[in-house]
Amino acid sequence: MAKKYSLLSNVYFLGAFATIGGMLFGFDISSMSGVVGTERYQNYFNHPSSSLQGGIVAAMAAGSFFGALLAGPLGDNISRKRTIMLAASIWIVGSIIQCASVNVGMLVVGRVINGVAVGLASMMVPIYQAEIAPKNIRGRIVSLQQWAITWGILIQYFIQYGCSFIDSNAAFRIPWGIQVVPGMILLVGTFFFPYSPRWLADKGRWDEALEVLANLRANGDKNDPAVQAEYKEIEDAVNFDRTLAARSYLELFRRPAVRRVFLGMSLQSWSQLTGMNVAMYYIVFIFQGAGIKGQNATLQASSIQYVLNVLMTIPAILFIDRWGRRPVLLIGSTFMALWLFLIGGLMGRFGSPIISDNQTTTWAIQGNDPASHAVIACSYLFVCSFAISWGPVSWTYPAEIYPMRIRSKAVSLSTASNWAFNFALAYAVPPLLESIQYRTYFIFAAFCVAMTVHVFFMFPETKGRTLEEMDELFNSDIPAWKTHSQPVSHLDRDIEELKLNQEHSRHSQLDNNGKNPDDLVHPHDSTVPPHGTDNMGQVPDEKTEVEHVPGEKTEF
């Protein structure tokens, strides 16, 4: 029987709230991009050189790399939910240290600790979202992760902007200290969340898995056909996984898993090589190169870019499950390459080298407003192209392509790849902007071209399939460019068949003994006929088996 509606059974609410973990990443990005160009920050930390500033920014990514690797075994052992809570706790500690920093060393330590938290959350939140969401809105739910990142960037940036007018060190301490608030909200709120039903099933906690799944899909009705069919599918997948090799990192690099592991790692790596997060970290320097002068003017121009990042993620959230993954990735990287080539070309044609007071060489456009405005416009269009494509899909795709037995570890490697490239780029880009100036944009444009080719030939379409149906997709011989979204999945057919069987049982009960037709069997005694049986679930010349508990069978 259905029970009273609860927010904790609403997939949208659970998925959206969990993305506060993604918001932490956005907070961290803006916590540096909004202060690196301010006088208070530069004076207090003794005008860090480009390489030192790169190290300060990259410290977070370094911590995130290790946090993502830790998240794999933690997610399997202590659950997805508790790993997110652990990330929130670590984030609170790191933010306090960062806020209290008295030198560069203390600041770096705080950012490394914050990075560990971001690595844990950025890897585990998409998995939790994917495992609680039905297939028809899974892309939308996981895409909320990217939207939360953009909101974190925007909110923290405006906090930074407001604090930039404070004539004291509080100009950067307040934004760093206020980061504690979302961490505490995430920690307290996640405590009340349900566990992932697939994690519960994987741990053999079948009754709890059924209860959570029923709450998420049918407001607590365990006899609902959609609940019974999905439960049976999860049960079959978990039991099949248990017949395979031991769950170790070595399995990730053996066939058939290695292909999917490589796709997830490469997709996350490519998302960094678009140059988007570099643009977020060093947006102040980029607009200075475009000829925008003055701290206030630079911050205002930057804020427009952050607002666009938030707004243009919305169409992807709404339509990713209609458009599919492949078209979004291909179109997005094509346009990003175009805008980056234009930015580099405009900067190279109309810019010139400038030597600052500390003998640092930069490249900027001076005295040419049309060229400056064109660079800024291309920068905005680049952000829009990323926000509607690679931003959300780079989190969605890796979270949905792996089987349960390796999902946590495989996604941890994918996310670690993201942070490894994030670290390398955050550290290397300031010296690059100093040494090869505008040519840096051509490098990222070339990466966008390469990732377009890679996606076209290697990445199959996953839209419309359940998590348990990904094995069939990736084990097929269909080339990636010939794959399409699946209009009707096996789960859809199982649900329809179960509805027919339940309707038949209901009429039989009414005709024979008048019993309540809603008193249906437990999903362990599933009325869904196994593959290879007739409509009544009978196998010719064989005994009928009814499975009561996974691994235990009773013969009649």
Side-chain angles (χ1 to χ4, degrees):
M1 296 294 291
K3 65 180 183 180
K4 187 177 180 181
Y5 172 80
S6 170
L7 269 180
L8 294 179
S9 299
N10 186 298
V11 173
Y12 281 103
F13 174 77
L14 295 173
F17 192 94
T19 57
I20 294 177
M23 190 178 289
L24 303 183
F25 178 27
F27 264 77
D28 190 88
I29 289 176
S30 282
S31 71
M32 291 308 301
S33 64
V35 301
V36 292
T38 61
E39 292 183 8
R40 281 289 174 183
Y41 172 84
Q42 292 289 333
N43 292 335
Y44 189 84
F45 293 103
N46 299 319
H47 296 274
S49 63
S50 60
S51 59
L52 179 58
Q53 183 58 52
I56 294 172
V57 172
M60 189 276 291
S64 298
F65 173 79
F66 292 105
L69 291 178
L70 288 172
L74 284 173
D76 282 337
N77 294 324
I78 69 173
S79 80
R80 284 60 162 134
K81 166 185 168 178
R82 288 173 179 164
T83 303
I84 296 173
M85 294 175 63
L86 177 62
S89 303
I90 296 174
W91 173 265
I92 293 171
V93 174
S95 297
I96 292 173
I97 294 175
Q98 198 170 335
C99 175
S101 297
V102 296
N103 52 44
V104 170
M106 190 172 177
L107 176 60
V108 168
V109 170
R111 286 185 59 75
V112 168
I113 294 175
N114 269 12
V116 172
V118 170
L120 289 170
S122 64
M123 175 267 173
M124 195 51 61
V125 169
I127 288 184
Y128 183 80
Q129 293 171 313
E131 291 186 349
I132 66 171
K135 66 179 182 62
N136 59 310
I137 61 169
R138 185 176 62 241
R140 180 180 301 176
I141 296 298
V142 181
S143 295
L144 292 173
Q145 164 84 346
Q146 177 63 23
W147 201 38
I149 293 174
T150 64
W151 271 109
I153 294 172
L154 182 65
I155 293 171
Q156 176 70 308
Y157 193 82
F158 278 121
I159 293 173
Q160 293 274 6
Y161 180 71
C163 292
S164 67
F165 297 100
I166 300 176
D167 191 23
S168 69
N169 293 335
F172 56 83
R173 295 199 186 279
I174 290 177
W176 291 346
I178 209 169
Q179 293 180 133
V180 170
V181 176
M184 294 182 67
I185 295 174
L186 180 64
L187 175 62
V188 175
T190 307
F191 176 81
F192 299 99
F193 275 28
Y195 292 99
S196 160
R198 286 171 168 84
W199 179 82
L200 289 169
D202 190 52
K203 295 300 179 182
R205 295 160 63 174
W206 295 101
D207 290 338
E208 294 176 71
L210 172 61
E211 182 178 0
V212 172
L213 192 64
N215 291 339
L216 294 174
R217 299 289 184 269
N219 203 25
D221 184 2
K222 298 178 183 179
N223 293 318
D224 186 274
V227 173
Q228 292 195 36
E230 187 171 356
Y231 182 88
K232 185 65 167 63
E233 188 176 56
I234 294 172
E235 184 179 54
D236 290 343
V238 170
N239 288 334
F240 175 76
D241 284 346
R242 288 174 178 171
T243 67
L244 301 180
R247 306 179 183 198
S248 66
Y249 277 101
L250 288 177
E251 184 185 354
L252 303 182
F253 300 100
R254 297 171 181 157
R255 291 190 177 189
V258 65
R259 177 195 172 195
R260 278 184 265 184
V261 171
F262 174 72
L263 289 180
M265 293 177 66
S266 60
L267 186 70
Q268 287 277 354
S269 301
W270 283 131
S271 72
Q272 287 297 322
L273 292 173
T274 61
M276 177 61 176
N277 280 337
V278 172
M280 293 292 102
Y281 282 128
Y282 300 114
I283 189 172
V284 172
F285 297 152
I286 292 172
F287 281 135
Q288 286 175 353
I292 301 295
K293 296 181 180 179
Q295 177 177 314
N296 192 42
T298 302
L299 292 175
Q300 289 178 354
S302 303
S303 66
I304 296 175
Q305 179 158 302
Y306 291 141
V307 171
L308 289 173
N309 194 20
V310 171
L311 295 179
M312 292 306 295
T313 305
I314 297 175
I317 295 173
L318 296 177
F319 300 112
I320 186 173
D321 289 306
R322 182 181 303 176
W323 294 340
R325 283 47 160 170
R326 275 176 58 83
V328 170
L329 290 173
L330 291 170
I331 295 173
S333 55
T334 300
F335 276 99
M336 284 190 290
L338 172 64
W339 308 130
L340 288 170
F341 276 125
L342 287 174
I343 292 173
L346 290 168
M347 294 281 284
R349 175 65 179 82
F350 299 104
S352 59
I354 298 175
I355 300 178
S356 61
D357 295 337
N358 60 359
Q359 301 303 307
T360 298
T361 302
T362 58
W363 191 276
I365 297 174
Q366 300 184 86
N368 192 326
D369 288 343
S372 296
H373 295 160
V375 168
I376 294 172
C378 288
S379 178
Y380 290 159
L381 289 170
F382 168 78
V383 170
C384 292
S385 300
F386 179 89
I388 203 172
S389 60
W390 280 75
V393 179
S394 64
W395 296 109
T396 302
Y397 201 87
E400 65 185 5
I401 63 175
Y402 303 114
M404 180 67 201
R405 68 182 183 278
I406 63 169
R407 184 174 298 137
S408 186
K409 292 182 176 65
V411 175
S412 76
L413 286 184
S414 300
T415 310
S417 301
N418 180 304
W419 291 114
F421 278 90
N422 189 308
F423 170 81
L425 293 175
Y427 188 78
V429 164
L432 281 176
L433 291 173
E434 182 179 342
S435 59
I436 63 174
Q437 294 97 28
Y438 65 90
R439 300 174 186 86
T440 304
Y441 299 101
F442 293 141
I443 294 176
F444 288 111
F447 284 142
C448 288
V449 172
M451 68 183 70
T452 303
V453 176
H454 187 203
V455 169
F456 181 83
F457 287 105
M458 297 297 294
F459 286 74
E461 180 58 67
T462 59
K463 171 193 165 186
R465 299 176 185 269
T466 66
L467 297 179
E468 287 69 35
E469 291 171 345
M470 294 299 171
D471 283 343
E472 179 182 349
L473 171 66
F474 282 93
N475 292 336
S476 69
D477 296 326
I478 303 175
W481 62 90
K482 292 185 178 181
T483 57
H484 304 284
S485 60
Q486 183 164 279
V488 180
S489 69
H490 297 307
L491 179 63
D492 294 324
R493 290 193 289 268
D494 288 344
I495 291 174
E496 289 304 315
E497 193 169 6
L498 184 53
K499 285 180 178 178
L500 291 175
N501 287 339
Q502 287 189 355
E503 187 67 23
H504 179 268
S505 298
R506 181 180 291 108
H507 288 300
S508 298
Q509 289 175 347
L510 288 174
D511 293 340
N512 296 332
N513 50 32
K515 290 184 179 179
N516 185 353
D518 290 328
D519 295 334
L520 302 178
V521 296
H522 190 280
H524 280 131
D525 301 322
S526 176
T527 58
V528 179
H531 294 293
T533 66
D534 60 23
N535 288 335
M536 298 304 294
Q538 301 296 322
V539 181
D541 300 326
E542 292 182 10
K543 294 182 179 179
T544 302
E545 293 182 346
V546 181
E547 189 173 1
H548 292 276
V549 179
E552 298 181 6
K553 296 183 177 180
T554 303
E555 295 186 353
F556 294 94

